[in-house]
Every structure is written in C-alpha cells, then in structure tokens.
Amino acid sequence: MENGEIVRLLCETADLLEIAGEDPFRVRSYRNAAQSLETFPEKIDEIVRNPDRKAGDKQLLAISGIGKGMVANLREICATGDLDVHQQLLQKFPPGALEMLRIQGLGPKGIALIWSAYRAANLDELEQLCREGKLRLLPRMGEKLEQKILKSIEAYRRSAGRFLISAAERASEEIVEYLRQGPDADQLRVTCAGSLRRGKETIGDLDLLVTGGRADEQIEHLLKYPKVLEVIARGENKVSVRLPEAMQVDVRFLEPGSYGAAMQYFTGSKEHNVSLRGRAIRMGFKLSEYGLFRADDEHQVAGGSEEEIYTTLGLDYIAPELRENWGEIEAAAEHRLPRLVEPGEIQGDLHMHTSATDGRLSIREMAEAARARGLRYIAITDHSKALAMTNGLDERRLLEQIKEIRQVNSEMEGFRILAGIEVDIHRDGRLDLNDEALAQLDIVVASVHSYMQIEPEEMTDRLLRAFENRYLNVLAHPTGRQLLSREPYRFDMERILGEAAKRGIHLEINSSPERLDLNEQNARRAKEKGVKLVISTDAHHTRHLPNIKFGVKMARRAWLEAADVLNTLPAEQFLQALRRAD
Ligand code: DGT
Ligand code: CA
Ligand code: CA
Ligand code: ZN
C-alpha cells in the first residue's frame, strides 16, 4: 500500500470523525499523523512488514505526531486495507457527506447538523435545502449562508473531475517511463500535449502522443500497464484508459510525418486551434491533426514539427503556454511575442519555511538543497505568531532566527541566505510583528491567512493599510485561492496593483500546485500596471523546491519576461531593486 493511500484514509477518517462530533483531540491525532506521513520518505507498508515488529514500532513511533494508537491503526491499514472505525463511519454517513466538506462555508459541525435535521448528506440534497430556504431554519444558519453555499456548490461542480498540475505531471511521467521500458523503446518519441503541456492550473485529462514503433504493439504494451483500471476506448491508433482516482489518459500513436501536426493540434487550446485554422484557410491552406496542406491540390507542406507549421503560416514559434487565443497569434505575426522567462533564469527563492514553524527541515538543509538546484540565494520566511497552529514566530524568536540565519549564511560559500518572514496581515491591515523586528530583516513577505470571507471593500482597505507599512516588500499568494477547494478572496485587484506599482511592492506568483497564485490573468495585469513579480515556492520541505517550474509556467502564461520577475536578478541587484519606491 502506498503512503499516499494511507494518508488519504487517515484524512478521510479525521473528516468523518469531525462530522460525527467526536473528541477534537482524536480528530487532530489523525490529522497530525496524516500530515507527518505526507512527507515521510520511507514506505510505511514496508516498515510494518518488518518481521522484527519491535523495530518497526520503534521506527514508526519516531515519526512526529505518531503515538501507540496510531501505530496500531497503521498496522491495521496495511493488513486489511482499511480501518474499522472508518468503515463504521462510512456506514453512518454516506460518502456524499465528505463531498459536502469541500463546500465553503460549511464545516463538519454544520454538516452534522444538516444530517441530523434533514438526513441530507450529499450535494444535490444540500442544494435543494438551500433553494427551498430550509437551511436558515437551523441554528446559526441564514439566508446569506444559503446563497454562499449555492455559489460554492457551483464552483465545486465546475472543478470536479480536474486534477492539480502536479498530480497530472506525475501520472504522465510514470506512463512515459513505462512506455520507455516496452517494445521499440529506442525509437520511441513520447510527448504530453493538452492542458498539461500548456501549463494550465488544473488538468482535465492527459493527452499523450507517441511516434516510432508499431501502434498495435504499443497499445498491447500500454494495456498491461499495472495502473490501468479500465479501457474506455480503443482504436487502431489510439487508446483511452482510466487510471486510479478516475484520471483519464488519451494516447495516440502517430506517423513521424504528422507528429508535429498532432502535437500542435492536441496541445490546443481549442480556441487557439480555431484561430490558427482560420488563418490557414485565409492563406489557402488546410490545417488538421495530420498536417498542413495546400487547399487546392492537398499537397502536404508541413507537419513533421510544430515550428514548420507556425513558420509556414507566417508566424514566429508560439510557446505552448501562450496558446490560449489571448492575442498570441497576432503577436507572432508581428514578431512581438515576449521572450518568456525560463526556469533556469530564476536565481533566488523568496518564500520558504523551516522547522521553526510548519516547515520540516532546518535553515541549512533548505539552503543546501536550493544551492544544489542551482539557485544563488533564498530567503527564509517562516510564519509569524498569529498563525499559532504553525508555532509562528514572535519578535523574540524572530530575532533569534535572524542570528541563526546570519550564522549559517556566513558558513556558505557562493550562496546567500536572506533573513525574511511571512508576516500575517491582521484583519485591520496591521502586520503581525512590530516595525523594530521587521527592520532587522532583508525581506518582508506578507500574507493573509485569516478572515478571508470579509467583504471585498474591507479586504481592499486591509491590503492597502498593510502596504502602508514601509517594511513590506512582497504580497504572498495574493488572492488566497486553493485550487479545487477554496475560491480566491475578493478585493479590488486594480487598486491593489496600482498601489503596489506606486510603492514598489511586489506580488508573488506562489508556485505551490495547490495555489498558483497570482494566476496568469492577474499576473499579466500586474505587468501591464508596472508591478514587478516574484516567483517563489513556499516550500515546507526541500522536496517542494522543484515546484518552482509550475510558478514559472504560470508566469509564462502571463507573458512575463525575465525583466518582469525580480528574482531573476543576482542577489545584490535583487536587494537593491527590493527597496521601496515610496
Ligand atoms: P483539459 O483536458 O480539460 O484540461 O484541457 P485540454 O486542452 O487538454 O483539452 P482536451 O483533452 O479535451 O483536448 C486536448 C486538445 O485537443 C485540445 O487542447 C485541443 C484539441 N482538441 C480537442 N477537441 C477539439 C476540437 O473539437 N476542436 C479543436 N480545434 N481542437 C480540439
Ligand atoms: Ca487534456
Ligand atoms: Ca483529452
Ligand atoms: Zn502562506
């Protein structure tokens, strides 16, 4: 059994226990265990199977957040594939109740209440209760909540069946790896197309293109892939299969002569393709997934590579991230496409946590991993005291940490560790730490983690007030969204961007695949308003450092060049550029 499955089971049990109104300590013990196991490097299943039971127990007990009771649970999960308590709760509350937890504005207590009053435990029933005005009859629920829940259900349905880019990428890489172990591996070219190649924030399904080798043999091999749960469709040159968690993969097998045309077609977006086909027709061509042909005699003029197709259509090459029909075809025709920022141009990472708060590792471990990845500088930005559940830093602990950062920094060659903080922005716009402490830092990253549901006007004022603090440099994950689970909070983005530009405040593109915040539209607007951006990982572990690629993709989708991204600068210049304009 994979650690991921164990984590999912523990989380689900915690959710169900919470809905059932169980002891909060018990709920938390499941959540803590799940959180620890999420980043635990070894396979729990193997530890449990260690014939030396004592040694196995000892190893498990050494994991933070895992006590004797949880060890017994882990043993039960690995032996039976489930937990008895989980099974019992599932009988009490149907699985739909868990889906209700994804609805904003409705916590486990609310779900329990709705369940006991109406026996409603799925989204359809919840929706109906809201429409009929029945929720407001329950204690502490009102008409406003009903409206909010209806909106949230709609948003949830829109995102249902989609995947985070990180999960999609992992699934795609695993299949590609598998294909490379099959027949004709040395002649094979495999590419992912679709929204994953465009770097979209969430992915509906995977589109893989394969050329070289015989289609029938390749399909035979693919169908033996251990993760295939179901074959959805099968043709001579294509096959669609379902993987765990209902992820669909469409695989197409192509002749080399049309590989580029297929890449172009199946990368999309559909809107980009429609526009491009229109252009082809106007130029006397016909563009399809098989190639670019002259309209009059059907003679193929391009198709082996994408570059060939764009060039023949009189266009500069358009990077996949730009293919959304947001003006890229016009820009390519006039040779004014941006020179998009590249992952290798990022020199620093300005948002990461250590074990002082909710990160997992030390300052030195984070720094060394960042240096090994080719970065030249980082900022350590742990949480501030308002985030008590992360053990956020107060002024005294921050000053101690700054000392430690300076010490570790002095021991590192050719690498710079900046002292920073991710300071909370209070509801009234004040920062969570006093100016005296903030003044000691190289960089102040600020963010909102509380009262996200306030009215847009209040949120705008709150952020503007925070900007008045002269030490604030970067606004982190500016809209607070969490992909597939939490909508962005609302405020007047235009005003915030205008004010940020005026004061020399920077907005972050948070690279965490759950956030990707700012998104491409907002980041592009920021650029237009003269705001410089920072792309950071928000890493809580060294294994999150590679996430920077997702942030860079988002930046590329926003048409950003290196000059628009402050942390493409070397450390000294970065620090100079960080100085506030006001
Ligand atoms: P997704 O999977 O919802 O995240 O988004 P995509 O963009 O990967 O969409 P998908 O998987 O339905 O199709 C992959 C690409 O194939 C799409 O980006 C463009 C191309 N495509 C699919 N259907 C059509 C179509 O009806 N017309 C055109 N022009 N292109 C299509
Ligand atoms: Ca797709
Ligand atoms: Ca598809
Ligand atoms: Zn944060």
Side-chain angles (χ1 to χ4, degrees):
M1 191 173 219
E2 298 290 326
N3 284 7
E5 275 173 82
I6 300 175
V7 167
R8 195 188 52 80
L9 205 63
L10 293 174
C11 286
E12 203 168 296
T13 308
D15 290 344
L16 287 163
L17 285 169
E18 208 166 356
I19 295 173
E22 287 282 337
D23 179 9
F25 284 101
R26 191 162 172 223
V27 175
R28 205 168 312 142
S29 75
Y30 281 87
R31 288 213 203 290
N32 287 344
Q35 210 201 348
S36 288
L37 295 183
E38 209 163 23
T39 53
F40 187 67
E42 285 164 64
K43 266 191 94 169
I44 300 295
D45 205 19
E46 275 166 25
I47 300 178
V48 165
R49 279 178 213 293
N50 183 348
D52 183 352
R53 210 180 150 99
K54 267 208 178 133
D57 281 355
K58 204 171 149 207
Q59 206 179 345
L60 293 173
L61 285 168
I63 305 173
S64 87
I66 302 230
K68 280 209 179 106
M70 200 49 66
V71 170
N73 285 333
L74 294 177
R75 289 199 172 278
E76 184 185 342
I77 293 174
C78 293
T80 69
D82 203 349
L83 277 173
D84 196 39
V85 46
H86 177 249
Q87 276 298 322
Q88 281 174 20
L89 286 162
L90 273 184
Q91 266 165 24
K92 190 163 168 207
F93 302 102
L98 285 168
E99 211 171 29
M100 285 166 76
L101 270 177
R102 308 275 302 261
I103 299 304
Q104 279 181 58
L106 205 56
K109 285 203 187 76
I111 296 170
L113 191 60
I114 294 167
W115 170 253
S116 64
Y118 297 116
R119 292 284 137 190
N122 64 49
L123 289 190
D124 292 338
E125 290 165 359
L126 177 63
E127 186 179 14
Q128 201 178 345
L129 289 175
C130 290
R131 290 204 192 290
E132 292 169 350
K134 283 188 176 158
L135 226 55
R136 66 184 80 161
L137 305 176
L138 298 176
R140 282 184 304 281
M141 298 200 181
E143 200 181 332
K144 229 174 147 182
L145 181 68
E146 287 172 351
Q147 292 313 316
K148 185 174 167 191
I149 290 176
L150 284 174
K151 269 207 195 124
S152 176
I153 290 178
E154 196 191 317
Y156 174 76
R157 291 211 172 112
R158 243 183 291 124
S159 69
R162 297 192 69 81
F163 295 86
L164 295 180
I165 189 167
S166 47
E169 190 190 77
R170 201 173 320 121
S172 164
E173 283 170 359
E174 282 171 11
I175 301 187
V176 172
E177 182 59 28
Y178 174 78
L179 288 173
R180 292 203 194 290
Q181 289 160 12
D184 295 326
D186 47 336
Q187 301 161 36
L188 233 48
R189 278 171 72 197
V190 190
T191 322
C192 84
S195 51
L196 180 57
R197 181 159 181 248
R198 301 200 310 282
K200 217 175 141 180
E201 59 194 28
T202 61
I203 309 298
D205 68 8
L206 298 179
D207 305 278
L208 288 183
L209 305 177
V210 183
T211 191
R214 281 178 46 184
D216 53 348
E217 287 177 3
Q218 292 297 327
I219 291 178
E220 276 316 308
H221 176 62
L222 184 66
L223 293 182
K224 284 191 230 124
Y225 180 45
K227 288 202 172 173
V228 168
L229 298 183
E230 186 195 340
V231 180
I232 301 163
R234 179 182 176 165
E236 254 175 64
N237 298 307
K238 70 165 272 189
V239 56
S240 293
V241 297
R242 196 166 333 272
L243 303 180
E245 302 190 20
M247 187 178 290
Q248 182 177 328
V249 192
D250 299 334
V251 192
R252 292 178 178 80
F253 301 87
L254 304 146
E255 294 301 325
S258 44
Y259 194 57
M263 252 168 96
Q264 197 291 312
Y265 182 90
F266 291 109
T267 295
S269 68
K270 204 165 152 181
E271 291 74 18
H272 173 88
N273 287 357
V274 168
S275 233
L276 196 66
R277 254 197 327 265
R279 181 180 176 89
I281 290 167
R282 285 193 300 280
M283 293 175 71
F285 293 118
K286 208 186 93 202
L287 177 63
S288 76
E289 64 212 87
Y290 302 105
L292 184 64
F293 305 87
R294 279 202 299 256
D296 47 10
D297 60 359
E298 308 245 314
H299 175 77
Q300 181 168 350
V301 290
S305 76
E306 285 188 320
E307 284 80 0
E308 210 174 272
I309 294 172
Y310 284 106
T311 306
T312 313
L313 291 174
L315 300 172
D316 291 341
Y317 177 73
I318 301 175
E321 293 92 335
L322 296 181
R323 301 184 197 168
E324 297 290 346
N325 201 29
W326 290 338
E328 71 278 8
I329 295 180
E330 295 78 358
E334 295 163 15
H335 310 294
R336 52 174 179 79
L337 282 174
R339 210 197 64 76
L340 298 177
V341 58
E342 301 195 12
E345 290 177 311
I346 302 294
Q347 301 214 34
D349 187 345
L350 292 317
H351 186 165
M352 66 181 67
H353 300 269
T354 72
S355 51
T357 62
D358 62 348
R360 292 280 148 157
L361 302 171
S362 67
I363 296 166
R364 185 186 303 275
E365 284 168 311
M366 296 306 285
E368 279 175 356
R371 184 173 61 180
R373 292 185 48 78
L375 291 184
R376 310 304 303 271
Y377 57 99
I378 59 169
I380 298 294
T381 57
D382 267 313
H383 288 294
S384 65
K385 59 183 188 272
L387 272 191
M389 73 262 199
T390 70
N391 190 24
L393 305 178
D394 58 14
E395 285 80 357
R396 187 186 56 79
R397 285 177 63 214
L398 175 61
L399 295 178
E400 275 171 27
Q401 191 190 47
I402 295 175
K403 268 196 219 147
E404 195 187 338
I405 290 171
R406 304 290 182 224
Q407 178 59 37
V408 180
N409 181 58
S410 72
E411 293 160 16
M412 298 213 37
E413 294 269 320
F415 189 83
R416 183 98 183 243
I417 312 174
L418 305 176
I421 185 81
E422 180 183 11
V423 63
D424 253 62
I425 300 174
H426 289 179
R427 182 171 182 169
D428 63 7
R430 276 181 310 116
L431 301 188
D432 190 30
L433 295 172
N434 65 33
D435 284 0
E436 216 183 325
L438 297 180
Q440 306 299 315
L441 295 163
D442 301 313
I443 180 169
V444 172
V445 175
S447 58
V448 166
H449 291 111
S450 61
Y451 299 105
M452 294 181 243
Q453 307 294 344
I454 57 180
E455 293 298 318
E457 296 74 27
E458 192 187 343
M459 187 61 91
T460 307
D461 289 344
R462 176 185 188 175
L463 295 173
L464 291 175
R465 172 89 199 276
F467 282 8
E468 284 171 18
N469 185 301
R470 51 197 279 252
Y471 297 106
L472 188 155
N473 300 117
V474 178
L475 181 63
H477 43 74
T479 77
R481 73 164 178 182
Q482 283 186 346
L483 287 165
L484 309 182
S485 70
R486 190 170 78 202
E487 292 290 296
Y489 44 74
R490 290 167 306 144
F491 59 90
D492 186 342
M493 180 62 82
E494 285 293 304
R495 267 188 79 191
I496 293 304
L497 293 178
E499 194 68 12
K502 207 171 85 196
R503 291 183 181 273
I505 289 171
H506 308 285
L507 264 60
E508 177 184 84
I509 296 180
N510 187 293
S511 307
S512 159
E514 286 89 18
R515 291 191 183 268
L516 295 173
D517 181 11
L518 294 177
N519 69 8
E520 67 279 83
Q521 280 101 340
N522 286 326
R524 192 171 173 183
R525 191 68 196 125
K527 171 179 176 166
E528 284 165 5
K529 298 273 273 187
V531 177
K532 293 241 186 290
L533 295 116
V534 170
I535 308 176
S536 296
T537 59
D538 199 353
H540 287 65
H541 193 285
T542 52
R543 93 186 63 212
H544 299 145
L545 294 175
N547 286 345
I548 198 81
K549 65 187 163 194
F550 302 126
V552 172
K553 276 205 178 260
M554 196 45 83
R556 291 166 64 85
R557 287 174 62 80
W559 294 48
L560 300 192
E561 307 192 339
D564 304 313
V565 179
L566 211 63
N567 49 325
T568 57
L569 293 172
E572 277 309 320
Q573 279 167 265
F574 171 81
L575 283 171
Q576 269 173 28
L578 204 58
R579 295 215 183 104
R580 291 267 297 253
D582 54 359

